Amino acid sequence: MSKQDTIQWIEKDKKQLHPTYHPKSHANPLVVERGEGVWLYTTDGRKVLDAMAGLWNVNAGYGNQELAQAAYEQMKLLAFTSNFSGMTNLPSIRLADKLAGFAYEGLNTTFFTSGGSEANDSAFKTARYYWKRKGKPGKYKVIARKGAYHGVTLGTTFATGLEKYHTMFGPAVEGYIHVPAPNPYRYEGEVRPGETVGQAAARALEEAILREGADTVAAFIAEPVMGVGGVIVPPADYFPLVREICDRHEVLFIADEVITGFGRTGEWFALKHWNVKPDILSFAKAVTSGYAQLGGIQISDAIRDTIESASEAEAYMHGYTYSGHAMACAVGLKNLEIMERENFPQRARDLGKRLLDGLKTLAEFPFVGDVRGLGLICGVEIVSDKASKAADPAMTVKVYNAALERGLRSRPLGNTLAFSPPIAITEDEVDEIVKRLGAAMDAVA
Ligand code: PLP
């Protein structure tokens, strides 16, 4: 396709597909025609290394023929049936069976959705329903963290801890409270003498529970590694303390592993790093490597037993048309086979170390404030001054654009550039990310 074709596609895109986007944020989109491995090929002849795996999800890489074949075979047989009202289908049963206990011991029951926002909404509704069944209907509030991203349904918008999402769509949905996230580079809460950031952030959670009243709090939700909020890797003492606090106050712990699930951080699921288990797990994205729309929650056996014991009149009324979509679940099964065969957690550990070590060599640039990561999810924080750590979002966009000009796609999130490439990436391609980013930084320096 020619450059002229691309201009025409972009004009159509802006008029008919993206008129709701601010022209500046959608000024010159990549019109992608084809992908292979970590590479995207655009209609105007560019070849771009996608160091974000789409939206942190295309872990198996683009153009995977096994996944395409799995979708095709299942669609020929049966693309869809209802997953409730007296029906079910084989791929959804097989995938739920495969996932039973896969992420965490004791989480054996899956409820499928089409994506991550629906998963978190389902987690909130399940937590409320659970406490009603337990005779504690006053427990309905959800505590989340500042900077968290949990999705765009009305409920998850207000669970999200990013202010601009709230002002846009207020008035606020009641019952969502935010506490500081354990950000070792710039913690915004109070750290008392002798306290670690992890302890301070855990204390902030406990104080919020006590302030609201434990008898009003249904759940606490957290991304094990915060993604959209700037790739925040928590200190090791944080989640074990969180688990203790949730247990002490009868608050369910929801792990939003929509980004971190299925190997991204070097463990199949990220709370494993700290030997912690949630009561409810939200997953999506990498369950199919983005080849089909699928997400879900897994619930603990205790929650399942409580749900099961409800009378017919009070039975759990929740389900999406596409819950347990046959084709999506068949793709999920094939993707799991690939991830296990290729040992994705080990790959993410090894290649993630290589990427982080490489990115750390760029810390000498005067505008690089912090470089961090866990497995194959990394963040480079851009500041105008290393000493004051003053955030520099404008410089972040400059570096991002300079990298894109050099065929490297990352993602600017506030003043952090995020890197979350396909786990199928090779060592040479990891080195290519560092090389191209370094060249971009040289150019803007
Ligand atoms: N939770 C987290 C941590 C996410 O990063 C996202 C999306 O990026 C979501 C939830 C929402 O998922 P979806 O966009 O599939 O609805």
Side-chain angles (χ1 to χ4, degrees), residues 55-57 113-120 148-153 156 160 221-229 256-260 282-285 294-295 411:
L55 285 169
W56 333 76
N57 57 339
T113 66
S114 308
S117 306
E118 286 181 1
N120 285 329
Y149 181 78
H150 296 302
V152 293
T153 60
T156 55
T160 288
I221 182 166
E223 302 155 80
V225 174
M226 207 178 246
V228 177
D256 177 350
E257 299 226 28
V258 166
I259 289 177
T260 55
S282 298
F283 66 87
K285 295 194 188 273
L294 186 67
R411 188 168 171 204

Side-chain angles (χ1 to χ4, degrees), residues 57-58 67-68 70-72 75 79 95 113-116 284-295 322 325-333 335:
N57 57 339
V58 188
L67 293 173
Y72 174 66
M75 277 178 146
L95 184 56
T113 66
S114 308
K285 295 194 188 273
V287 63
T288 62
S289 282
Y291 280 71
Q293 304 88 328
L294 186 67
Y322 294 126
H325 189 281
M327 182 277 286
C329 289
V331 172
L333 276 164
N335 190 46

